[in-house]
Amino acid sequence: MAFVMNPAKWGQPVLTIRYRAKILLRTLTLLSFVMTGGAFAQSAVMQTAALSPAYAQPSRAQPVAAPSQGPQVQNLDELAQIAHIFLTEQTKDLTGKTEITIHPLDARLRLTACEQPVPYLSQGARLWGRTTVAMRCDAPEPWRIMVKAHIRIIAPYLTTARTLPQGHVITAADLALANGDITAIRPGVLNSKEAAIGRTLVRAAQAGSPVWPEHLRAQKAVMQGQTVRIISKGQGFSISGEGYAISSADEGQVAKVKMANGNVIRGIARADGIIEVSF
């Protein structure tokens, strides 16, 4: 390295023009290298990033698995339909036209869906008027409910055609057939005129009143003072004669009869004023 002493500043070397040129050249070369190396490094980083899967394809949201569902809920309309079919089958042999109404179940009711609901009549339930159908499930989860229903039976029934006094003997003109819901009246109402004709009312009846068997009693087979025919039966013989009844009697009851010779006998009263005497 060549230098000369600056006479103005003792002890400090003065750089020559050649030395300064070398310094400048080296500085430019170093700067060029640094700039070239930084660009290369940046390019390498970009290329590396481009080859990275995370950079090449943005991450996609993975589908979230649906939460597992609980047991299915029983369709309540299906239970109502099962109850209707059950009652229709149970009432198919009843006389008259059957009308069945199933009351809707409470919509708030939550039951596990049943594989095979089983309908049945619980103890005390009847196929008449307001009733209930029991319904049970055995699987997959046991449960039991009651389904309310209303059964109407439209059929003819016997009524009085006019107001009748107590003790009146019924004739065909005293009766009429009405058609309606027989479940709305007490069970056992008569449905044919033949069941009432010739019987006696035990109490007065207003026109249009339904007629039950307990409202009637059989007419006396034998009335006191009535002339009767006496039939005596024994082994291998039968004798008949006449007399008059000392007492009244229903059919099948014992009646006293006085014969023409004055003798009093006992016999079983039969229809048409006949007294049977057995020996």
Side-chain angles (χ1 to χ4, degrees):
M1 176 183 299
F3 62 89
V4 295
M5 298 298 292
N6 186 349
K9 298 181 178 179
W10 301 102
Q12 296 184 3
V14 178
L15 299 178
T16 65
I17 296 174
R18 180 180 296 178
Y19 178 76
R20 290 180 178 180
K22 289 182 178 182
I23 292 298
L24 179 61
L25 179 59
R26 290 179 179 179
T27 301
L28 292 174
T29 301
L30 181 60
L31 180 61
S32 175
F33 175 78
V34 171
M35 293 180 64
T36 304
F40 176 80
Q42 183 179 7
S43 175
V45 171
M46 294 295 292
Q47 292 180 13
T48 302
L51 293 175
S52 174
Y55 181 85
Q57 295 181 355
S59 62
R60 297 180 180 178
Q62 297 296 325
V64 179
S68 59
Q69 297 181 351
Q72 293 185 347
V73 178
Q74 176 66 50
N75 186 326
L76 301 182
D77 291 338
E78 179 184 351
L79 297 182
Q81 184 178 8
I82 292 174
H84 192 281
I85 294 173
F86 173 76
L87 290 179
T88 300
E89 179 65 22
Q90 294 293 314
T91 58
K92 65 180 181 180
D93 295 329
L94 296 180
T95 301
K97 178 184 176 182
T98 304
E99 297 179 355
I100 299 172
T101 302
I102 304 296
H103 295 271
L105 291 166
D106 191 337
R108 296 171 297 178
L109 186 62
R110 290 292 183 269
L111 300 170
T112 301
C114 187
E115 294 178 358
Q116 187 174 0
V118 179
Y120 61 98
L121 287 177
S122 59
Q123 186 176 4
R126 60 178 185 172
L127 298 171
W128 189 278
R130 298 186 184 278
T131 187
T132 56
V133 176
M135 192 91 60
R136 79 168 187 267
C137 178
D138 298 325
E141 180 177 327
W143 50 255
R144 180 178 179 271
I145 63 169
M146 305 297 287
V147 181
K148 294 181 179 180
H150 193 173
I151 301 174
R152 296 177 176 85
I153 303 175
I154 311 302
Y157 61 94
L158 196 63
T159 65
T160 53
R162 56 176 177 263
T163 300
L164 301 174
Q166 179 181 1
H168 179 77
V169 178
I170 300 294
T171 65
D174 299 324
L175 303 171
L177 286 174
N179 198 58
D181 180 14
I182 60 175
T183 68
I185 56 179
R186 185 161 49 85
V189 64
L190 297 176
N191 58 9
S192 69
K193 293 184 178 182
E194 289 73 15
I197 293 175
R199 295 181 176 269
T200 303
L201 275 175
V202 297
R203 62 183 182 183
Q206 298 294 321
S209 299
V211 181
W212 284 273
E214 58 268 29
H215 290 175
L216 307 171
R217 60 176 171 80
Q219 188 177 10
K220 297 290 185 182
V222 175
M223 300 295 294
Q224 184 179 5
Q226 175 184 351
T227 299
V228 295
R229 184 183 179 194
I230 303 169
I231 299 178
S232 301
K233 293 183 178 180
Q235 187 173 5
F237 72 92
S238 177
I239 302 173
S240 63
E242 287 189 352
Y244 68 92
I246 299 176
S247 62
S248 299
D250 293 331
E251 185 173 0
Q253 291 183 334
V254 176
K256 292 181 179 181
V257 178
K258 189 174 184 178
M259 302 184 68
N261 59 9
N263 293 334
V264 176
I265 62 174
R266 295 173 179 266
I268 304 299
R270 301 298 183 191
D272 300 326
I274 296 176
I275 303 294
E276 289 184 352
V277 179
S278 299
F279 293 95

